[in-house]
Amino acid sequence: MSFDDAAKVTAAHLRRGAYLYVRQSTIRQVVENTESAARQYALRQRAVALGWAAEQVVVIDSDQGQSGSSAADREGFQRLVADVGLGRAGIVLGLEVSRLARNSADWHRLLELCALAGTLICDEDGLYDPTNFNDRLLLGLKGTMSEAELHFIRARLRGGLISKARRGELYMPLPAGYAYDPNGRIVFDPDVSVQNAVRYLFATFARAGSARVVVKSFAADGLRFPTHIRSGPRSNDLAWQPLSHSRVLSVLHNPRYAGVYSFGRQHERSGPGGTIRTELPRDQWLAFIPDAHPAYIDLATYEANRATLLACAKAHGTDRPAGPAREGNALLQGIAICAQCGKRMTVRYHLRGGIEHPDYQCMAAAIQTGTARCQNVPGLVVDQAVSRLVLDSLSPLAVEVTLNVQAELESRAEQADALRHSHVERARHHAELARRRYLAVDPDNRLVADTLEADWNNALRALRSAQDDYDRATTAAHTALTENHKQKIRSLTADFPALWSDPATPQRERKRMIRLLIEDVTLNKTDVINIHVRFRGGRTTSLTVAIPPTGWQKHLTAPDTLALVDTLLDDHTDAEVADILNQAGHRSGSGAEFNPRTIEALRYDHGMASHKSRLRQTGMLTIREIATQLGVHTQTIHRWHADGHLIGQKANDKNEHLYQPPTGLDPELLKEQRRRRSNQPSTQKTPGGAV
């Protein structure tokens, strides 16, 4: 110990503890580099030489096997920093700066705390006081050099990895479906069931075009997918697990299945929430070697699968692609284009009569700028027009479609059955292996015999469960594809339109068929709806359909019926008009029969005069008006009308009549009637009741 070192140690330092931090980067170093550990533990003698008692030395070695690149997972280093901040440490000892930290941020944070708490730092080269500028400058340089050293070590190691990867010689864990042969070459997994599972996944995705549908298909068929266990006591073993969505995506994105040896597809960096991985463009990959090993799919199929996944993404850029075919009545969901702005149109549903009807609307600019939407196109008539176009296009190919559909269904059933049967065979093999182990054991060794017997029983139970699952799935599969169903499939040659219109056909399947034929459909709504269909391959077709009436327009009475009502009101009352219309087969806008109240409502809504008003316009008078004009009683008017002396007509359904003024009435008849009325004695009752 030099004089300068002794001068830095004060009584205040000695009253606190001496903290010795011991760390080696890997478990292998802990096991093999014992000399380095001995040198670190020997620093306790250095603390004793500086004046600390042996019982004051606190050894922190809980970070053995941990990297010093970060303090996130090093509990020992975090404890050291906490005790320094609480003023419990008089000195911190480490073999070198790299043992404490290889990250400048962690190292300078420790220096700052040591300076605030007045804690000394000691390594193999000397004793340092962080409150002293020169010592702190030297410690800062040592921390920077330690971080740079870590960078150089990593660069040398990564340089070797990259060099081997560019030659295609770097050993990397293989995905399910591949294995290394004894010569180190990559081959298909010897287990045929593993190969069939991988091929079935790609075939299902080729049919469905959606990773989620692949997961649902495996779950519906009771199938499992192989995966390699990467850690633990069963590392590198093969396990069969239910297929997950993330597993499907990893398989479809992995170029290994296309026979490509690749390295450096992703860029990793540390972020606030942990490691952030970003997939790089292909031209930035460190290694890309096609046809490096056997492939399950070709490279073109791999690229097509990635393009399909990209189109199925829920969010991509400002204009989301078509996306996968989903549930819903909108036949053109995802492929309808606005003719005014070129953006993809979204779907909105409304209920009419308890049935969902789609509307295609362009909301891109409205959402971004708060302006009005470009257009809103009724979807039902558009879907019907496109459906008719598709049926006309598919009719010549109905026979070929029939054969392809039937072959596809039979192929899918055979593939699923082969995968389920492989699970049974695997369980039977394990049971037979457990039986042989049990029979080969010494009967006197009861402990081992009991264990092997339990394993045999477990294997038999697993075999029985696998066999039951296979039987149930096989029965369901055979039931699903009966001769009746096959005959219906064959009838597609003459009845494809009926199948398309069958309510049992899922709308999602119609959408998938539409997307196989049509690239997109451009809609433009003016006084009519203009539909421009672009087929895959370049052919285009334009259609024009009328804009369907709105709800209230559909309930309007037909114009010819209104004209007939207006004509009939000249000579008939409301009830008579309703009877005539019903007998002629006319119906109201709601489809119901007419009645007097309906005719009355039509008159008010369309400004038509009633039958009474029309009679009044011709000069006809009421019974009181004509009685006053003639100077007679109203009963006389009734009698004259009955005798034919006056012309009258029924004015309404209340049996009210209007009369034409008399022109040819006999004057003597009037005089006689007036005389009778004037000479008629009035009747008067006496108090006794006599007249």
Side-chain angles (χ1 to χ4, degrees):
M1 180 177 63
S2 65
F3 175 76
D4 292 338
D5 291 348
K8 294 177 182 179
V9 179
T10 65
H13 293 134
L14 295 176
R15 283 196 295 269
R16 292 180 282 177
Y19 282 71
L20 172 60
Y21 184 78
V22 178
R23 183 188 66 82
Q24 288 175 281
S25 299
T26 63
I27 297 297
R28 182 175 180 179
Q29 291 179 357
V30 175
V31 175
E32 298 180 358
N33 299 349
T34 57
E35 186 61 29
S36 174
R39 290 172 58 199
Q40 295 186 61
Y41 283 112
L43 288 177
R44 286 180 294 189
Q45 304 303 323
R46 184 72 179 274
V48 174
L50 290 172
W52 275 270
E55 58 272 13
Q56 288 183 283
V57 179
V58 180
V59 179
I60 300 178
D61 55 3
S62 58
D63 291 340
Q64 290 281 47
Q66 297 284 338
S67 173
S69 60
S70 174
D73 297 324
R74 291 194 291 156
E75 296 181 359
F77 183 78
Q78 295 174 6
R79 175 193 170 190
L80 173 65
V81 172
D83 286 353
V84 169
L86 293 173
R88 298 173 182 173
I91 187 172
V92 174
L93 300 98
L95 185 63
E96 57 187 49
V97 171
S98 64
R99 297 304 93 200
L100 289 166
R102 283 193 180 273
N103 182 289
S104 292
D106 296 336
W107 174 244
H108 284 282
R109 189 177 300 110
L110 178 62
L111 286 183
E112 185 70 25
L113 289 175
C114 288
L116 293 175
T119 302
L120 303 177
I121 295 179
C122 179
D123 63 10
E124 199 174 37
D125 296 330
L127 183 65
Y128 309 94
D129 184 1
T131 60
N132 183 277
F133 174 76
N134 292 328
D135 288 355
R136 186 166 181 170
L137 178 62
L138 181 57
L139 290 172
L141 291 174
K142 282 191 171 187
T144 302
M145 293 174 63
S146 176
E147 186 175 25
E149 181 185 14
L150 179 62
H151 169 74
F152 294 140
I153 293 173
R154 286 179 172 175
R156 286 194 293 269
L157 294 174
R158 183 167 176 78
L161 293 177
I162 293 175
S163 179
K164 294 187 67 175
R166 285 174 175 167
R167 298 195 304 269
E169 300 175 358
L170 180 63
Y171 176 88
M172 291 187 294
L174 297 175
Y178 286 106
Y180 285 104
D181 66 1
N183 296 324
R185 295 191 302 265
I186 300 176
V187 296
F188 288 132
D189 195 301
D191 192 339
V192 179
S193 62
V194 176
Q195 298 182 34
N196 292 338
V198 175
R199 290 192 174 93
Y200 189 69
L201 186 148
F202 283 111
T204 305
F205 182 78
R207 292 190 300 266
S210 170
R212 183 171 178 269
V213 176
V214 175
V215 176
K216 294 175 66 176
S217 177
F218 268 70
D221 293 337
L223 302 178
R224 295 175 178 265
F225 194 77
T227 181
H228 289 295
I229 300 175
R230 298 302 183 188
S231 60
R234 296 182 56 197
S235 178
N236 295 325
D237 285 356
L238 192 68
W240 291 82
Q241 299 176 348
L243 186 62
S244 63
H245 187 263
S246 60
R247 176 65 61 184
V248 176
L249 294 180
S250 66
V251 171
L252 296 175
H253 281 289
N254 196 336
R256 284 283 198 178
Y257 291 101
V260 175
Y261 181 94
S262 63
F263 183 80
R265 291 191 299 125
Q266 295 180 337
H267 172 69
E268 296 184 359
R269 65 180 182 86
S270 299
T275 303
I276 300 176
R277 294 179 175 85
T278 304
E279 186 163 352
L280 301 174
R282 179 177 296 178
D283 56 358
Q284 298 182 20
W285 292 7
L286 297 177
F288 181 82
I289 306 175
D291 301 325
H293 52 77
Y296 285 92
I297 56 175
D298 54 33
L299 191 57
T301 304
Y302 167 74
E303 294 294 348
N305 290 344
R306 286 172 56 86
T308 302
L309 291 174
L310 187 62
C312 291
K314 290 188 175 180
H316 178 70
T318 57
D319 186 18
R320 191 171 81 84
R326 303 186 184 279
E327 292 76 6
N329 296 331
L331 188 64
L332 305 182
Q333 166 250 321
I335 61 174
I337 306 296
C338 176
Q340 299 183 15
C341 67
K343 300 292 186 181
R344 202 171 299 275
M345 302 181 76
T346 57
V347 181
R348 184 177 181 180
Y349 294 96
H350 65 274
L351 286 176
R352 179 174 294 176
I355 302 175
E356 286 187 344
H357 291 266
D359 289 330
Y360 298 108
Q361 53 184 355
C362 181
M363 298 294 295
I367 294 174
Q368 295 294 331
T369 62
T371 56
R373 61 190 176 191
C374 290
Q375 55 179 342
N376 183 36
V377 180
L380 185 59
V381 292
V382 175
D383 290 351
Q384 292 172 349
V386 175
S387 296
R388 289 191 295 269
L389 178 62
V390 169
L391 293 177
D392 294 340
S393 302
L394 287 181
S395 295
L397 303 177
V399 175
E400 182 179 354
V401 170
T402 301
L403 299 177
N404 291 339
V405 169
Q406 183 171 354
E408 178 71 15
L409 292 176
E410 293 176 352
S411 174
R412 290 172 59 179
E414 291 175 358
Q415 291 178 357
D417 183 75
L419 287 176
R420 287 190 291 265
H421 184 68
S422 66
H423 294 318
V424 178
E425 290 299 321
R426 188 179 302 103
R428 183 177 289 110
H429 171 71
H430 290 165
E432 180 62 24
L433 183 60
R435 185 186 71 85
R436 291 200 300 266
R437 288 174 178 171
Y438 173 72
L439 295 178
V441 72
D442 184 0
D444 294 333
N445 193 349
R446 297 308 305 168
L447 295 178
V448 177
D450 291 343
T451 302
L452 294 179
E453 184 181 10
D455 293 341
W456 186 17
N457 291 330
N458 292 334
L460 290 175
R461 281 192 289 268
L463 174 60
R464 180 59 180 271
S465 177
Q467 185 65 49
D468 292 342
D469 293 341
Y470 174 76
D471 293 339
R472 284 194 299 269
T474 303
T475 303
H478 290 168
T479 303
L481 194 63
T482 61
E483 285 298 326
N484 186 26
H485 291 149
K486 292 181 180 180
Q487 185 60 34
K488 287 184 178 180
I489 294 174
R490 295 188 185 97
S491 67
L492 284 174
T493 55
D495 203 23
F496 184 79
L499 177 67
W500 177 272
S501 305
D502 190 352
T505 303
Q507 187 71 356
R508 182 173 59 187
E509 299 303 323
R510 295 191 185 95
K511 296 180 185 180
R512 290 178 56 194
M513 288 187 278
I514 284 288
R515 293 168 185 231
L516 293 175
L517 293 174
I518 297 176
E519 186 71 30
D520 53 48
V521 178
T522 304
L523 303 178
N524 188 28
K525 176 182 169 185
T526 54
D527 53 342
V528 293
I529 301 176
N530 299 300
I531 307 171
H532 187 73
V533 182
R534 184 162 63 100
F535 289 89
R536 293 189 182 273
R539 186 171 72 90
T540 60
T541 301
S542 296
L543 306 172
T544 301
V545 296
I547 299 176
T550 59
W552 65 272
Q553 290 174 336
K554 295 180 70 173
H555 288 81
L556 292 177
T557 304
D560 57 341
T561 303
L562 290 176
L564 182 59
V565 169
D566 193 21
T567 302
L568 293 175
L569 285 174
D570 292 339
D571 302 313
H572 302 280
T573 64
D574 291 348
E576 294 171 347
V577 170
D579 292 339
I580 296 173
L581 291 177
N582 292 333
Q583 293 174 6
H586 292 272
R587 293 294 181 267
S588 66
S590 60
E593 292 187 346
F594 288 97
N595 55 53
R597 299 183 65 86
T598 307
I599 302 299
E600 182 181 2
L602 288 177
R603 288 195 291 101
Y604 282 113
D605 292 340
H606 297 278
M608 291 185 286
S610 64
H611 178 53
K612 180 179 180 180
S613 300
R614 298 179 187 219
L615 294 179
R616 295 282 287 176
Q617 291 175 0
T618 62
M620 298 187 74
L621 304 175
T622 64
I623 190 171
R624 293 188 178 278
E625 291 174 342
I626 197 168
T628 302
Q629 178 179 350
L630 297 178
V632 297
H633 197 274
T634 56
Q635 295 296 331
T636 303
I637 300 297
H638 284 301
R639 186 171 62 254
W640 284 354
H641 175 254
D643 295 340
H645 299 302
L646 289 176
I647 299 176
Q649 261 188 294
K650 189 177 180 180
N652 52 35
D653 297 321
K654 299 178 181 179
N655 204 28
E656 182 181 356
H657 284 67
L658 295 180
Y659 302 91
Q660 291 184 358
T663 55
L665 190 64
D666 187 0
E668 295 298 329
L669 184 63
L670 284 175
K671 292 179 181 179
E672 177 64 21
Q673 184 62 33
R674 289 171 181 167
R675 184 183 60 78
R676 288 181 179 180
R677 188 176 182 185
S678 60
N679 294 334
Q680 183 177 5
S682 60
T683 58
Q684 183 176 5
K685 293 183 178 181
T686 62
V691 177

